[in-house]
Amino acid sequence: MESRTLSLLEFPKVLERLAALAVSEPAAAACRAIAPLGDPDVLAREQRKLAEAMELRRDAAFAFTPFPDVEPLFPVLESERRGLDLDALVALSHVLSQVAALRLALGAGEAGRSLLRDEVAAAPWPKKTQAALARCISPDGRLRDESSPELFSVRQEIRTIHQTIMTRVKEFVGEKELGPLLQDDYVTISSDRYVLPLKSNFKSRLPGIIHDYSQTGETVYVEPFFLVEVNNRLQELKNEEREAEARVMAFLTGLARDERREVAAAYRLLVACDVLWAKAALAGRIGGTLPEVAPEHAVHLIAARHPLLVLAAGDDAPARVMPQDLILAEDQRALIVTGANAGGKTVCLKTLGLLAVMALSALPVPAGEGSRLPFFSKTFVFLGDEQSIEDHLSTFTAQIRHLSRVWPEIDAATLVLLDEFGAGTDPSQGAALAQAVVDGLLDRGAYLAAATHFPALKAYGLSRPGVRAACMLFDPATKKPVYRLAYDQVGASIALDVAREHGLPEEILERAGRYLLLDGGDAGQVFERLNDLALRREREIEALAAERLEEKKRVAKLKENLKKAQENLVEEIRDLSRDIVRRHEAGRLERKEAQRALAAAKKRLIEETDAITGTKPDTGTPAQGVTLAALNPGRSVRIVSWDKNAVVREIDLKRRAAKVDIGGVSLWVPEADMAPLDAPAKSGGGVTVAPARREAPASGLGLTLDLRGMRADAAEAELAAFLDTALLRGHGELEIIHGRGTGALRREVHRMLKEHPQVASFALAPEDRGGDGMTMVTLK
């Protein structure tokens, strides 16, 4: 894309604001180099990674800290003759430690579920180099003593000599009573040797070698003769230390050289992630979203704002920056924007162009969810005064020359922005030329947006197929713009009102008004009427949208309260049922009394649930005329009390009931509780047991639980819930299908049944009813 286009749309300013959000200077430089992408698949991939980064940043999954630029180290690693110094190794260690922390933070998660996590996990990793640097480089940027045995040994001896020197100096000063002669009560170092800071007028009192004087001349640094040999030995050890450190650094350089590709990949991954986090931070600053970008999409930007205006407004952006819906239908390619001077027409064009460029660069844009854009491979912009004295170009000729240059490149994947095109020449000829240019662009299938004051182009926008007209509205009372875009109409320029607002003398404005009447070209009253109607409509739409939002919030709150009330009710009934069972087990409640209490609790649950949800009691008549005679096994029906689909398995005409399968649970349902269902039943993936809101009387119709294919822990949980539900509903006999198999699941079921206090007995089913693949249970 042309640098001229990006500059006119102020895209570099957006990149500067993005770069300021990066943590490191390398990432800031990478932000400034961002450009629109040329491949829709690459763009979709980058947008997906950004969406994941935005979520990770919201969750504070990882926080970047500043890291140095190690790019200049890679040419050093390519050469066998060059090595990395300690500063370079410290910088490399800092970078790799942060990459290791990033890998740890993003490494968790199922493969294939997160593109960003997968890329981080799959990136080449210099395992040996990072481990060696972490072991050898201390947090203060020095080589650790443990880096090598030689370095450890020599530093240990240096420390021993230091202690020896301090001890001998203390003894010497005490013996010779030199304390008053010293400028400071400590040993210092001068010329890399231990010396005593002696007052200058007493320098002859201490035999030794003078190394230096202080700036004031009041202190002389003297090395006593008894320290000379010790200092000499110390110098030898310091030299050995430097040699040991050089060997360690050479070893670390060799590791980094062997893994230089992995080191470079890790560093670039860190920079790329820093850029992603900066983009995510920008999304937070501008309220950004990721629009869908595809060649087949039309322009559909909801509540779009100019990003630089949003950033300049800061926290006041929602109140100070008016959002605009920039929308074209599927069969429309052009938008003609009209309206008052300084009313926001150019800002609309710039917003469309800049948001398109940002979206193509995989940046978040300040627009609402659900926004879409075509994939523009090229964008050309004609904005502002393009005259040039050096090139002998007027405003008009500069526009024409630029259009002539880019015309061969324009195709169906091109966006063209025209701001007052043709305004620098005779109005009638300029309007005709502008219409012809728009015709030519539409013939090539290009998208375009144009701002104009030409009456002919306004009429063109209302009459030409594939073109949509829009105008910037103004307040009829104050004649000031409201920066609101109204579609499918054109607006007046109100040049005289704008001139009055900006201080032009009234006598000039009066003369202009008279000339306008003489020309017969004043259609201001018609345009004002249209503007007034459009403004009212926009405000009504805005009020309706606000009401809809409030209603949506109210309904959501009601649903939340309803859910809490239902949960509280179920929990209360569950506690009551458990209390009844405990009292029965303790012998304080007879079996029949316990069953009556459970039945009463069930009835209360049904009635209060109906009261909460507003469900009317069952009339007992077949729903929508479903009869057992018309049913047959395998047919799908709707169970009214459960509000679920089920498949009929058996039919009992005498009991007026059918055995149905609801998601893997088999139970008998009365005829009145079934409704017809034309759609096929959903296949059940698991077993779900829940208390029904209405039940047939407990007249011996049992419940069946199918545990086949389950693990022991899952089966135990399902069986416990199933028994609780059966007790609550007053059932006395149950069927548990566990299958034959190896018998492990059957043994686990029998163990749980033995331990359950409410199970009176259980036995394997007769052979004709399942044999050892099913267990019959009788409750107390």
Side-chain angles (χ1 to χ4, degrees):
M1 194 168 290
E2 284 188 328
S3 59
R4 175 183 180 279
T5 293
L6 301 179
S7 178
L8 287 173
L9 292 176
E10 300 180 287
F11 184 59
K13 292 183 179 180
V14 174
L15 296 184
E16 281 296 332
R17 301 300 291 267
L18 175 66
L21 298 174
V23 170
S24 65
E25 185 53 42
C31 288
R32 297 185 188 100
I34 289 176
L37 299 170
D39 187 337
D41 294 334
V42 174
L43 175 60
R45 185 180 180 87
E46 291 300 315
Q47 283 190 323
R48 182 179 167 189
K49 288 195 292 186
L50 177 54
E52 294 171 7
M54 291 165 66
E55 183 177 350
L56 290 169
R57 185 177 180 274
R58 280 195 300 268
D59 296 340
F62 184 77
F64 283 87
T65 57
F67 56 88
D69 182 4
V70 297
E71 193 74 38
L73 304 184
F74 300 141
V76 177
L77 295 177
E78 292 292 336
S79 173
E80 293 289 340
R81 298 181 179 181
R82 301 171 66 184
L84 301 178
D85 59 17
L86 183 58
D87 290 341
L89 290 170
V90 169
L92 195 58
S93 175
H94 183 73
V95 166
L96 293 182
S97 65
Q98 193 159 170
V99 179
L102 177 67
R103 286 167 57 88
L104 181 64
L106 305 189
E110 185 178 345
R113 297 292 299 273
S114 169
L115 180 60
L116 180 57
R117 292 179 187 272
D118 289 348
E119 283 198 0
V120 170
W125 177 237
K127 183 177 180 181
K128 294 180 181 179
T129 304
Q130 192 273 329
L133 289 172
R135 182 174 62 86
C136 295
I137 305 293
S138 66
D140 60 356
R142 299 179 69 250
L143 287 176
R144 299 180 190 270
D145 294 353
E146 300 80 7
S147 298
S148 70
E150 296 84 0
L151 187 58
F152 181 85
S153 177
V154 72
R155 285 184 176 176
Q156 191 75 3
E157 190 170 352
I158 289 173
R159 282 190 288 269
T160 301
I161 288 181
H162 173 74
Q163 293 296 329
T164 301
I165 289 174
M166 298 303 294
T167 301
R168 293 182 64 179
V169 167
K170 186 176 180 179
E171 292 174 352
F172 178 78
V173 170
E175 291 175 1
K176 302 295 184 180
E177 297 181 351
L178 298 177
L181 309 183
L182 297 178
Q183 192 70 267
D184 298 298
D185 190 19
Y186 61 86
V187 179
T188 186
I189 294 178
S190 178
S191 301
D192 206 24
R193 299 175 75 87
Y194 284 96
V195 296
L196 295 178
L198 195 66
K199 294 178 181 178
S200 297
N201 50 346
F202 296 113
K203 60 183 179 182
S204 60
R205 297 282 300 274
L206 180 63
I209 302 171
I210 295 176
H211 283 274
D212 201 359
Y213 285 86
S214 66
Q215 290 185 351
T216 61
E218 294 181 359
T219 304
V220 60
Y221 299 100
V222 179
E223 179 184 4
F225 286 128
F226 72 88
L227 288 182
V228 171
E229 288 299 325
V230 180
N231 273 328
N232 289 342
R233 176 56 183 160
L234 183 62
Q235 294 304 311
E236 293 174 359
L237 292 174
K238 289 287 185 70
N239 187 56
E240 292 177 13
E241 180 187 27
R242 286 190 290 271
E243 291 176 353
E245 288 176 345
R247 287 192 292 271
V248 171
M249 290 187 289
F251 173 75
L252 294 175
T253 300
L255 288 179
R257 180 174 290 115
D258 293 341
E259 295 183 318
R260 58 187 179 275
R261 291 178 179 80
E262 291 83 354
V263 170
Y267 168 70
R268 284 155 192 162
L269 171 68
L270 186 63
V271 173
C273 288
D274 191 359
V275 172
L276 277 177
W277 257 248
K279 291 181 181 181
L282 179 66
R285 295 284 183 91
I286 64 176
T289 60
L290 298 176
E292 297 180 26
V293 181
E296 65 273 12
H297 286 333
V299 174
H300 191 88
L301 290 174
I302 305 169
R305 292 180 171 92
H306 195 288
L308 294 178
L309 294 180
V310 174
L311 290 169
D315 295 336
D316 296 333
R320 294 176 55 189
V321 184
M322 181 65 67
Q324 308 291 348
D325 292 338
L326 303 175
I327 298 174
L328 292 177
E330 295 290 338
D331 59 345
Q332 294 173 334
R333 292 273 175 158
L335 177 65
I336 306 295
V337 183
T338 61
N341 296 91
K345 299 188 301 298
T346 302
V347 173
C348 273
L349 264 60
K350 281 190 171 184
T351 300
L352 173 59
L354 184 54
L355 265 58
V357 170
M358 290 175 66
L360 291 168
S361 303
L363 293 176
V365 303
E369 294 288 348
S371 295
R372 302 184 299 276
L373 280 170
F375 187 90
F376 298 122
S377 60
K378 296 180 285 291
T379 300
F380 299 116
V381 180
F382 300 82
L383 291 174
D385 188 355
E386 302 186 60
Q387 65 176 314
S388 171
I389 295 177
E390 293 85 354
D391 296 333
H392 307 288
L393 295 175
S394 66
T395 300
F396 177 73
T397 53
Q399 288 181 340
I400 297 302
R401 177 172 292 186
H402 181 210
L403 180 62
S404 301
R405 181 176 61 82
V406 303
W407 189 261
E409 302 178 41
I410 295 175
D411 55 24
T414 303
L415 172 64
V416 180
L417 303 179
L418 303 171
D419 185 28
E420 303 294 343
F421 186 83
T425 186
D426 177 77
S428 58
Q429 295 186 34
L433 184 61
Q435 291 178 72
V437 168
V438 173
D439 278 339
L441 293 173
L442 291 176
D443 290 343
R444 289 174 176 249
Y447 281 89
L448 69 111
T452 186
H453 290 286
F454 288 142
L457 201 54
K458 294 177 182 180
Y460 178 91
L462 291 171
S463 59
R464 174 72 155 81
V467 180
R468 190 173 193 185
C471 72
M472 301 303 300
L473 300 177
F474 61 90
D475 191 323
T478 63
K479 303 298 183 182
K480 292 183 178 180
V482 295
Y483 305 109
R484 193 187 299 270
L485 192 64
Y487 281 98
D488 304 319
Q489 70 174 62
V490 294
S493 299
I494 58 169
L496 301 187
D497 295 299
V498 174
R500 180 177 289 108
E501 176 67 24
H502 286 77
L504 196 65
E506 192 62 34
E507 61 270 18
I508 296 179
L509 295 172
E510 291 178 359
R511 289 185 180 182
R514 290 197 293 270
Y515 284 129
L516 191 60
L517 290 174
L518 288 175
D519 289 342
D522 186 14
Q525 292 183 349
V526 175
F527 281 121
E528 284 186 17
R529 177 61 176 162
L530 289 173
N531 177 86
D532 187 27
L533 292 174
L535 188 59
R536 288 183 189 177
R537 183 188 64 182
E538 291 296 320
R539 287 174 175 168
E540 288 173 358
I541 292 173
E542 189 176 273
L544 287 173
E547 289 178 9
R548 182 180 297 174
L549 181 60
E550 287 299 321
E551 182 67 17
K552 187 176 180 180
K553 291 180 180 178
R554 188 183 69 83
V555 171
K557 188 167 185 62
L558 287 174
K559 287 182 177 179
E560 183 180 356
N561 293 338
L562 174 62
K563 183 179 179 182
K564 288 181 179 178
Q566 289 177 319
E567 290 174 351
N568 292 338
L569 174 61
V570 170
E571 188 62 31
E572 182 181 348
I573 297 299
R574 184 180 289 116
D575 292 341
L576 177 60
S577 302
R578 288 170 180 166
D579 182 61
I580 293 170
V581 172
R582 283 194 295 269
R583 287 160 56 195
H584 173 64
E585 291 173 352
R588 290 180 289 161
L589 203 63
E590 295 295 332
R591 177 181 177 183
K592 291 185 177 180
E593 292 176 345
Q595 288 181 339
R596 283 196 297 269
L598 288 172
K602 181 193 72 171
K603 182 179 180 182
R604 179 187 168 195
L605 175 63
I606 294 171
E607 292 175 350
E608 294 195 21
T609 301
D610 288 341
I612 291 173
T613 60
T615 307
K616 296 181 180 179
D618 191 2
T619 61
T621 59
Q624 302 183 20
V626 169
T627 60
L628 294 178
L631 294 178
N632 58 313
R635 179 173 172 180
S636 298
V637 294
R638 188 76 175 171
I639 308 303
V640 178
S641 61
W642 292 70
D643 193 26
K644 290 185 177 294
N645 298 343
V647 179
V648 176
R649 297 303 184 196
E650 297 179 29
I651 298 172
D652 192 330
L653 295 177
K654 292 182 179 181
R655 296 179 179 178
R656 307 303 300 170
K659 187 176 183 179
V660 298
D661 182 286
I662 305 177
V665 176
S666 298
L667 71 158
W668 288 91
V669 177
E671 181 182 29
D673 200 18
M674 291 183 290
L677 180 68
D678 296 330
K682 298 179 181 179
S683 58
V687 177
T688 304
V689 179
R693 299 209 304 242
R694 302 176 196 83
E695 294 295 342
S699 57
L701 297 178
L703 283 177
T704 301
L705 176 65
D706 192 344
L707 298 176
R708 287 175 294 184
M710 289 190 177
R711 296 170 60 91
D713 53 352
E716 181 176 0
E718 292 291 347
L719 180 56
F722 178 70
L723 293 173
D724 288 345
T725 302
L727 288 168
L728 180 62
R729 299 171 65 189
H731 283 272
E733 295 182 355
L734 310 175
E735 297 175 353
I736 301 174
I737 303 174
H738 40 67
R740 290 183 169 87
T742 62
L745 184 58
R746 180 183 70 246
R747 289 191 294 272
E748 189 66 23
V749 168
H750 287 182
R751 180 190 64 77
M752 290 185 283
L753 293 174
K754 286 179 183 178
E755 296 175 356
H756 199 284
Q758 292 302 309
V759 174
S761 63
F762 62 89
L764 293 175
E767 193 61 35
D768 60 341
R769 297 192 61 185
D772 56 1
M774 183 172 73
T775 296
M776 313 282 292
V777 182
T778 303
L779 300 178
K780 293 181 181 179

Short mmCIF file of all heavy atoms in Angstrom, two decimals, residues 199-233:
data_model
loop_
_atom_site.label_atom_id
_atom_site.label_comp_id
_atom_site.label_asym_id
_atom_site.label_seq_id
_atom_site.Cartn_x
_atom_site.Cartn_y
_atom_site.Cartn_z
N LYS A 199 46.44 10.85 56.68
CA LYS A 199 46.46 12.31 56.61
C LYS A 199 47.81 12.76 56.05
O LYS A 199 48.86 12.26 56.45
CB LYS A 199 46.22 12.92 57.98
CG LYS A 199 44.82 12.63 58.53
CD LYS A 199 44.65 13.21 59.93
CE LYS A 199 43.25 12.87 60.47
NZ LYS A 199 43.04 13.38 61.84
N SER A 200 47.76 13.74 55.17
CA SER A 200 48.97 14.12 54.42
C SER A 200 50.12 14.56 55.32
O SER A 200 51.29 14.26 55.05
CB SER A 200 48.63 15.24 53.43
OG SER A 200 47.71 14.79 52.48
N ASN A 201 49.81 15.26 56.37
CA ASN A 201 50.89 15.78 57.22
C ASN A 201 51.55 14.69 58.08
O ASN A 201 52.51 14.96 58.81
CB ASN A 201 50.38 16.91 58.12
CG ASN A 201 49.11 16.52 58.85
OD1 ASN A 201 48.47 15.55 58.51
ND2 ASN A 201 48.74 17.32 59.85
N PHE A 202 51.01 13.44 58.00
CA PHE A 202 51.61 12.33 58.74
C PHE A 202 52.15 11.25 57.81
O PHE A 202 52.41 10.11 58.25
CB PHE A 202 50.59 11.70 59.70
CG PHE A 202 50.11 12.62 60.78
CD1 PHE A 202 48.79 13.05 60.81
CD2 PHE A 202 50.98 13.06 61.77
CE1 PHE A 202 48.35 13.91 61.79
CE2 PHE A 202 50.53 13.92 62.77
CZ PHE A 202 49.21 14.35 62.78
N LYS A 203 52.38 11.57 56.54
CA LYS A 203 52.78 10.53 55.59
C LYS A 203 54.15 9.94 55.91
O LYS A 203 54.43 8.79 55.58
CB LYS A 203 52.76 11.07 54.16
CG LYS A 203 53.70 12.24 53.94
CD LYS A 203 53.54 12.76 52.50
CE LYS A 203 54.46 13.97 52.27
NZ LYS A 203 54.30 14.50 50.90
N SER A 204 54.98 10.70 56.56
CA SER A 204 56.31 10.17 56.89
C SER A 204 56.27 9.20 58.06
O SER A 204 57.25 8.50 58.33
CB SER A 204 57.26 11.33 57.23
OG SER A 204 56.77 12.09 58.35
N ARG A 205 55.15 9.14 58.78
CA ARG A 205 55.03 8.26 59.95
C ARG A 205 54.79 6.80 59.55
O ARG A 205 54.93 5.91 60.38
CB ARG A 205 53.87 8.75 60.83
CG ARG A 205 54.06 10.14 61.41
CD ARG A 205 55.00 10.10 62.59
NE ARG A 205 54.50 9.23 63.64
CZ ARG A 205 53.64 9.62 64.60
NH1 ARG A 205 53.22 10.87 64.61
NH2 ARG A 205 53.26 8.77 65.52
N LEU A 206 54.40 6.57 58.29
CA LEU A 206 54.06 5.21 57.86
C LEU A 206 54.91 4.83 56.66
O LEU A 206 54.70 5.32 55.54
CB LEU A 206 52.58 5.09 57.50
CG LEU A 206 52.10 3.72 57.03
CD1 LEU A 206 52.27 2.68 58.15
CD2 LEU A 206 50.64 3.78 56.61
N PRO A 207 55.89 3.94 56.83
CA PRO A 207 56.73 3.51 55.70
C PRO A 207 55.86 2.73 54.69
O PRO A 207 55.08 1.86 55.07
CB PRO A 207 57.78 2.61 56.35
CG PRO A 207 57.73 2.93 57.80
CD PRO A 207 56.34 3.35 58.10
N GLY A 208 55.99 3.07 53.45
CA GLY A 208 55.24 2.35 52.43
C GLY A 208 55.30 3.07 51.09
O GLY A 208 56.09 4.01 50.90
N ILE A 209 54.47 2.63 50.19
CA ILE A 209 54.45 3.16 48.81
C ILE A 209 53.24 4.07 48.68
O ILE A 209 52.10 3.66 48.95
CB ILE A 209 54.38 2.02 47.79
CG1 ILE A 209 55.59 1.09 47.96
CG2 ILE A 209 54.32 2.58 46.37
CD1 ILE A 209 55.49 -0.17 47.14
N ILE A 210 53.49 5.32 48.25
CA ILE A 210 52.39 6.26 48.03
C ILE A 210 51.83 6.01 46.63
O ILE A 210 52.55 6.07 45.63
CB ILE A 210 52.88 7.71 48.16
CG1 ILE A 210 53.35 7.98 49.60
CG2 ILE A 210 51.77 8.67 47.76
CD1 ILE A 210 53.93 9.36 49.79
N HIS A 211 50.50 5.76 46.58
CA HIS A 211 49.84 5.48 45.29
C HIS A 211 49.11 6.68 44.74
O HIS A 211 49.03 6.85 43.51
CB HIS A 211 48.87 4.31 45.45
CG HIS A 211 49.53 2.96 45.50
ND1 HIS A 211 49.84 2.24 44.39
CD2 HIS A 211 49.98 2.23 46.57
CE1 HIS A 211 50.43 1.10 44.74
NE2 HIS A 211 50.52 1.08 46.08
N ASP A 212 48.55 7.53 45.62
CA ASP A 212 47.74 8.63 45.09
C ASP A 212 47.43 9.61 46.22
O ASP A 212 47.64 9.31 47.41
CB ASP A 212 46.42 8.09 44.50
CG ASP A 212 45.80 9.06 43.52
OD1 ASP A 212 46.37 10.15 43.32
OD2 ASP A 212 44.74 8.71 42.95
N TYR A 213 46.93 10.80 45.83
CA TYR A 213 46.46 11.81 46.76
C TYR A 213 44.99 12.09 46.45
O TYR A 213 44.53 11.92 45.31
CB TYR A 213 47.26 13.12 46.63
CG TYR A 213 48.64 13.06 47.23
CD1 TYR A 213 49.70 12.59 46.47
CD2 TYR A 213 48.87 13.49 48.52
CE1 TYR A 213 50.99 12.54 47.01
CE2 TYR A 213 50.15 13.45 49.07
CZ TYR A 213 51.19 12.97 48.32
OH TYR A 213 52.45 12.92 48.85
N SER A 214 44.25 12.55 47.44
CA SER A 214 42.87 12.98 47.20
C SER A 214 42.86 14.30 46.46
O SER A 214 43.90 14.98 46.36
CB SER A 214 42.12 13.12 48.54
OG SER A 214 42.68 14.18 49.30
N GLN A 215 41.74 14.71 45.94
CA GLN A 215 41.64 15.96 45.18
C GLN A 215 41.98 17.17 46.04
O GLN A 215 42.52 18.16 45.55
CB GLN A 215 40.23 16.10 44.59
CG GLN A 215 39.95 15.10 43.48
CD GLN A 215 38.60 15.33 42.83
OE1 GLN A 215 37.81 16.15 43.33
NE2 GLN A 215 38.35 14.64 41.74
N THR A 216 41.65 17.10 47.31
CA THR A 216 41.96 18.23 48.20
C THR A 216 43.40 18.21 48.67
O THR A 216 43.89 19.20 49.22
CB THR A 216 41.02 18.19 49.42
OG1 THR A 216 41.24 16.97 50.14
CG2 THR A 216 39.57 18.28 48.99
N GLY A 217 44.06 17.07 48.49
CA GLY A 217 45.43 16.94 48.94
C GLY A 217 45.57 16.64 50.41
O GLY A 217 46.70 16.52 50.92
N GLU A 218 44.48 16.50 51.12
CA GLU A 218 44.54 16.26 52.55
C GLU A 218 44.73 14.78 52.89
O GLU A 218 45.05 14.43 54.03
CB GLU A 218 43.26 16.76 53.22
CG GLU A 218 43.10 18.27 53.14
CD GLU A 218 41.84 18.75 53.84
OE1 GLU A 218 41.10 17.87 54.36
OE2 GLU A 218 41.60 19.96 53.87
N THR A 219 44.51 13.90 51.92
CA THR A 219 44.62 12.46 52.16
C THR A 219 45.63 11.87 51.17
O THR A 219 45.60 12.18 49.97
CB THR A 219 43.27 11.78 51.99
OG1 THR A 219 42.32 12.39 52.86
CG2 THR A 219 43.37 10.29 52.33
N VAL A 220 46.51 11.03 51.68
CA VAL A 220 47.46 10.31 50.87
C VAL A 220 47.21 8.81 51.07
O VAL A 220 46.95 8.35 52.17
CB VAL A 220 48.92 10.67 51.25
CG1 VAL A 220 49.23 10.35 52.69
CG2 VAL A 220 49.92 9.96 50.32
N TYR A 221 47.23 8.08 49.97
CA TYR A 221 46.92 6.64 50.00
C TYR A 221 48.25 5.87 49.97
O TYR A 221 48.97 5.89 48.95
CB TYR A 221 46.04 6.26 48.83
CG TYR A 221 44.70 6.99 48.86
CD1 TYR A 221 44.49 8.11 48.05
CD2 TYR A 221 43.70 6.57 49.71
CE1 TYR A 221 43.27 8.78 48.09
CE2 TYR A 221 42.48 7.24 49.76
CZ TYR A 221 42.28 8.35 48.95
OH TYR A 221 41.08 9.02 49.02
N VAL A 222 48.54 5.23 51.10
CA VAL A 222 49.84 4.59 51.29
C VAL A 222 49.64 3.07 51.42
O VAL A 222 48.77 2.61 52.16
CB VAL A 222 50.53 5.13 52.56
CG1 VAL A 222 51.88 4.43 52.77
CG2 VAL A 222 50.72 6.63 52.47
N GLU A 223 50.42 2.34 50.65
CA GLU A 223 50.45 0.88 50.77
C GLU A 223 51.61 0.50 51.70
O GLU A 223 52.77 0.64 51.33
CB GLU A 223 50.65 0.23 49.41
CG GLU A 223 50.71 -1.30 49.48
CD GLU A 223 50.99 -1.93 48.12
OE1 GLU A 223 51.22 -1.18 47.13
OE2 GLU A 223 50.99 -3.18 48.04
N PRO A 224 51.33 0.05 52.93
CA PRO A 224 52.41 -0.32 53.85
C PRO A 224 53.23 -1.48 53.28
O PRO A 224 52.71 -2.31 52.51
CB PRO A 224 51.66 -0.75 55.11
CG PRO A 224 50.30 -0.13 54.99
CD PRO A 224 50.01 -0.09 53.54
N PHE A 225 54.48 -1.52 53.64
CA PHE A 225 55.36 -2.55 53.08
C PHE A 225 54.89 -3.96 53.43
O PHE A 225 55.09 -4.90 52.66
CB PHE A 225 56.80 -2.32 53.57
CG PHE A 225 57.47 -1.15 52.90
CD1 PHE A 225 58.08 -0.16 53.66
CD2 PHE A 225 57.50 -1.03 51.51
CE1 PHE A 225 58.69 0.93 53.05
CE2 PHE A 225 58.11 0.05 50.91
CZ PHE A 225 58.70 1.03 51.67
N PHE A 226 54.22 -4.11 54.58
CA PHE A 226 53.81 -5.47 54.96
C PHE A 226 52.64 -5.99 54.11
O PHE A 226 52.32 -7.17 54.16
CB PHE A 226 53.45 -5.52 56.45
CG PHE A 226 52.15 -4.84 56.81
CD1 PHE A 226 50.94 -5.53 56.77
CD2 PHE A 226 52.15 -3.50 57.19
CE1 PHE A 226 49.77 -4.90 57.11
CE2 PHE A 226 50.97 -2.88 57.53
CZ PHE A 226 49.78 -3.56 57.49
N LEU A 227 52.02 -5.08 53.32
CA LEU A 227 50.92 -5.50 52.43
C LEU A 227 51.38 -5.74 51.00
O LEU A 227 50.57 -6.19 50.17
CB LEU A 227 49.81 -4.44 52.43
CG LEU A 227 48.95 -4.31 53.69
CD1 LEU A 227 47.89 -3.26 53.48
CD2 LEU A 227 48.30 -5.64 54.05
N VAL A 228 52.63 -5.42 50.70
CA VAL A 228 53.07 -5.49 49.31
C VAL A 228 52.98 -6.92 48.78
O VAL A 228 52.41 -7.17 47.69
CB VAL A 228 54.51 -4.95 49.19
CG1 VAL A 228 55.06 -5.23 47.77
CG2 VAL A 228 54.56 -3.46 49.48
N GLU A 229 53.50 -7.89 49.51
CA GLU A 229 53.47 -9.26 49.03
C GLU A 229 52.03 -9.79 48.92
O GLU A 229 51.69 -10.49 47.96
CB GLU A 229 54.28 -10.15 49.98
CG GLU A 229 55.78 -9.95 49.88
CD GLU A 229 56.31 -10.27 48.49
OE1 GLU A 229 55.77 -11.21 47.84
OE2 GLU A 229 57.21 -9.58 48.02
N VAL A 230 51.21 -9.41 49.90
CA VAL A 230 49.82 -9.87 49.86
C VAL A 230 49.10 -9.26 48.66
O VAL A 230 48.34 -9.93 47.95
CB VAL A 230 49.10 -9.51 51.17
CG1 VAL A 230 47.65 -9.99 51.13
CG2 VAL A 230 49.82 -10.09 52.36
N ASN A 231 49.36 -7.97 48.43
CA ASN A 231 48.74 -7.32 47.27
C ASN A 231 49.23 -7.92 45.96
O ASN A 231 48.48 -8.04 44.99
CB ASN A 231 49.01 -5.82 47.30
CG ASN A 231 47.98 -5.05 48.13
OD1 ASN A 231 46.82 -5.45 48.18
ND2 ASN A 231 48.41 -3.97 48.77
N ASN A 232 50.51 -8.27 45.94
CA ASN A 232 51.04 -8.92 44.72
C ASN A 232 50.33 -10.24 44.46
O ASN A 232 49.97 -10.57 43.31
CB ASN A 232 52.54 -9.15 44.86
CG ASN A 232 53.32 -7.85 44.80
OD1 ASN A 232 52.81 -6.84 44.33
ND2 ASN A 232 54.56 -7.88 45.27
N ARG A 233 50.15 -11.00 45.50
CA ARG A 233 49.43 -12.29 45.35
C ARG A 233 47.99 -12.05 44.91
O ARG A 233 47.45 -12.78 44.07
CB ARG A 233 49.45 -13.06 46.69
CG ARG A 233 48.66 -14.35 46.67
CD ARG A 233 49.11 -15.28 45.58
NE ARG A 233 48.30 -16.50 45.53
CZ ARG A 233 48.23 -17.29 44.48
NH1 ARG A 233 48.91 -16.99 43.35
NH2 ARG A 233 47.49 -18.38 44.50
#
